[in-house]
Every structure is written in structure tokens, then in C-alpha cells.
Amino acid sequence: MNTTAVALVVAAALLAGALLLWPRTRRVVTTPAERAVHSALHTAALAAVPLRRGLTAESAAEAAPHLRALIGGAALGVADAAGAVLAWDGPHATLGATFAEAAARAAAGGRAVLVAGPGEQAGRTLVAQPMLLPDNEVTGVLGVVTEERPGPGTLGALAEVARYACGQLQLAELDASRARLDRAEVRALRAQISPHFIYNALNTIASFVRTDPDRARELILEFADFTRYSFRAAGEFTVLADELRNIERYLALERARFGDALQVRLRVAPEVLGVVLPFLALQPLVENAVRHGLTGSGTVSIVAADAGTECLISVEDDGAGMDPELLRSGELDAVTTGESAHVGLSNVDDRLRAAFGNDYGLVVETAPGAGTKVSLRVPKFRPGVRV
């Protein structure tokens, strides 16, 4: 036998030995208990997604199969706090009316209600378990059907799943409350933008009507576009490109008013134009820079730089500045004084933190006679933050 043939025989023997040993040496990655825990957590996570949208017929129908899997019942129903059935998963749908009655009783009494199946459902049991908030307020009712009288294990599982579902509904309400607060703050900010600026803008436009009609026409269009954007009803977030375009409109009107006394420097990296940020987050910063940075004459610098996973934005003026002790005391709105006090930085700071977390608030650098620089960071992507 030549050398090549010997090598082939040896290789074949090694391969055969490896194939024989492989099933014996393969490790079991998880134990049955670990797989059960993983499955339960995965199912709970699937149920959480629709519940975080609040308790509706749609979210209840989507969550019901996963809640049923967690409890292990023959069927499961979901009702609102008044006992109206929102969803039913599994067989025995004829128990729907029985569940509605039991759910109303459970919600009224704040405790589980057991009902024996009537008629053709005899031998089965329906348990209605209210979903209770810490103050015993009922947010909804879960109902599970068992083929026999449920034991302590089933009742305990139902109570825990109801508590879990209630927690997700609480989080949904917190999300909704925060969204309502954000909308209220944006509406307030929109209302605050108007009086002082609009009065001056209209006076400036009027001054050009006779001396330079074409310029007046351009400013009217800029003013119309500025107000249309500022008072739009299209959500709480926008992209940086749109925010900067509206700031350009604002600055066009202010430069028409102040002439060469107001200089503007704009440096924006093209990569960050699509970054999402709270609506009207930059407008108050620029307005503050113009109002308090222009003492006879001055320069406002706006920079938006690419920083990997984040966008760095700053608005700086070379005006009179202010005492930094006012900022250390937490009085962000102290930057705004006099007739333009409506332009508050606290509103912007709060909305940035609400959208991206406490690490993303405003940073203000200032000193008497040294101007003011306001900086912020915006992540390029954050789950749940979109236009």
C-alpha cells in the first residue's frame, strides 16, 4: 500500500471515530428547570408587549394566548374593570357570559370569584381574578377555565399572572401620562413663543412694505412657514434638519430686524441631519442666544457635530453671560429674564431627559462678560423615539 493510500485510510478512521464519539460527548446546555424558566420568561415578555399599550380589545386579544400559556388553563378570558369581556382564548367560548358576570363580581369585590360551569360545561370551573393596583383599584379581570376544581397551585399562578399583567398596565398608564405631559409642555411652549417675537417680526415686515416690497414679501413667507411649523400638530419629535430649517426662518426675521448687528455662524455635519430630537428643542436655545447675547451687536454660533453613536449640538453667544451660581442652584430658567422670560430652558431640559434618559439634559456654560454656551447630546437611535 503506498503512502497516499495509508494517509486516506488513517483520515477515514479518524473521521469515523469522531462521528462515533460526538453524540456521546455532546453536553446538555440547559437543564429542564432552566428551560422551563426561560420559556416562562419568554412567554411573559411576549404578553408584556401588547399590555404596554393599555387594556383594549386589540391588546387583550394579542396578550391572551401568552397569559393562558403562563397559567396553563383550558381557556382564558380578559375583561375590563366593568366586567365587559375584551378577549377569549381557547375553547369553551359559551362560558363568555358566565365570565362577564363573574368578572363584574370580582371587580366589585376586589377578590377572586369561582363559578362552576353551567349546563354542558358542568365539571369545569371558571375563576375570575381581578387585576389590582396597590391601592386596590381594579384595572381589569382575568378569567381561567379549568377542567376540574382548581387547586392552590393554579389559583396562585392566576393571582401572580394577574399581578404581572396589572404591572404592565401600570407602566402603560405611566407611558401615556408622560406622553400627555410632553404634549402639554409642547403646547405650552408653542403658546409661549408667539407674543414678543411675533410682535417684533410683524413690525419688521411692516417697515419693509414701502421701502423694499420684495424683501417684505420674502419675510412674510418666512414668517408664515415659521408659524406653520411651530404650531403644527404632527407629533412630539422631529428631525434635526427640520428643526434647523425653522431656526433659519427665525434668524432670517431677526436679521431683518437687527441688520448687521446680528451675525450667525452655522456648522452642521451632514451625517446628523436625520437625528430625531424633541420638537422645538433648539428654538428656545437660539432665541435665548439672540435675546441675551445681542448687546449692541453679537454673534450666535450653532454647531451640530457627529460623535459616533451621538449627535453633539451647541448654541453659543458672545453676549453678557450670567452668574453661574444661578445655574448651580438648578434655576435653568434664570437664563431668561425680563420680557422674554417665556423662553424657558427647563422645558427643553425636562423633555430631553424624558425622551433619552437623565444623562441627556442640557449643559450650560456661562460667566459674566463671557457669553453663554448651551450644549446637548442626542443619541442617533433610541427605541420608541421616532418622528
Side-chain angles (χ1 to χ4, degrees), residues 16 21 28 111 145 148 183 199 202 206 219 235 277 291 294 314:
L21 290 174
V28 176
R111 57 188 301 175
V145 177
E148 56 187 18
R183 287 193 293 271
Y199 175 81
L202 291 175
L219 292 175
L277 70 165
R291 292 280 185 267
L294 198 63
S314 65

Side-chain angles (χ1 to χ4, degrees), residues 118-166:
E120 62 180 13
Q121 300 292 346
R124 298 187 177 95
T125 301
L126 185 144
V127 185
Q129 173 68 51
M131 295 183 281
L132 298 173
L133 294 172
D135 59 358
N136 291 326
E137 180 184 352
V138 178
T139 59
V141 181
L142 291 183
V144 65
V145 177
T146 61
E147 297 295 345
E148 56 187 18
R149 189 169 182 82
T154 300
L155 294 175
L158 177 58
E160 290 302 322
V161 171
R163 186 177 292 111
Y164 171 78
C166 187

Side-chain angles (χ1 to χ4, degrees), residues 167-189:
Q168 298 305 313
L169 293 175
Q170 279 185 282
L171 293 175
E173 179 56 31
L174 287 175
D175 291 342
S177 297
R178 189 178 74 172
R180 287 193 295 269
L181 178 61
D182 288 346
R183 287 193 293 271
E185 288 180 341
V186 170
R187 286 195 297 270
L189 191 59

Side-chain angles (χ1 to χ4, degrees), residues 18 113 216 228 263:
V113 172
R228 185 181 299 112
Q263 298 295 316

Side-chain angles (χ1 to χ4, degrees), residues 42 247-248 372:
H42 179 66
I247 286 172
E248 288 179 359
T372 301

